[in-house]
Amino acid sequence: MTHQSHVSQFVALRDVSSIHVIRDKVSYCAAVDLETRLLETALSTVTVSDPWNFGHGRYMGLLTPGLRAGVVLAGSFSSNQALGRVAAALPEEIPRVHIEVPGIDLRDSLICWFRAMWLVDAIAASRGHDPAAVQPTPWGDTLYLDR
């Protein structure tokens, strides 16, 4: 799949205010970086979980009144059947994006990471926002330096 076809698919999440990222082991690093980028640019609130924890109760976050939630499924349905089962169970009205990777090796992790960054770029562009424009709080440096 090309960058342009991914971007057109990713725009499905332009109107959501909360994104649930459901990831497998291959997409773990990409999911963490995706969470960071979306939070730093104030594009969305984000939760990250594996399929088991999402199905064990985190899915209830999709039902929060007044919150438009979407889902990012990151990984391979063929190598992670639980991820595919979660995708099949989601109601059609919930916007979703699948960041597909072909396998389970390091190359696939890097592919997933690049596609996750394309997702941030697509959501930011659809909202007229610069994804590189982080919006730190005045007290954010104190938190960072005190760790």
Side-chain angles (χ1 to χ4, degrees), residues 29-145:
C29 293
V32 170
D33 205 29
L34 176 62
E35 175 190 34
T36 302
R37 298 291 167 249
L38 290 171
L39 291 173
E40 284 179 342
T41 56
L43 290 172
S44 177
T45 60
V46 185
T47 61
V48 177
S49 76
D50 57 47
W52 170 255
N53 284 315
F54 183 76
H56 189 62
R58 290 190 179 192
Y59 69 91
M60 296 297 287
L62 295 172
L63 307 174
T64 304
L67 185 68
R68 176 88 167 127
V71 172
V72 173
L73 300 143
S76 172
F77 292 170
S78 58
S79 65
N80 189 324
Q81 292 179 350
L83 192 63
R85 285 194 297 271
V86 167
L90 291 171
E92 287 298 318
E93 61 269 12
I94 296 173
R96 81 201 60 196
V97 164
H98 180 207
I99 300 176
E100 173 69 34
V101 294
I104 58 169
D105 61 15
L106 177 60
R107 176 183 166 272
D108 298 306
S109 291
L110 292 172
I111 289 170
C112 192
W113 182 79
F114 275 101
R115 291 178 180 169
M117 293 306 98
W118 292 346
L119 174 62
V120 172
D121 184 57
I123 292 173
S126 72
R127 296 180 187 182
H129 190 79
D130 179 2
V134 296
Q135 299 188 8
T137 62
W139 44 270
D141 284 342
T142 304
L143 287 174
Y144 182 75
L145 296 172

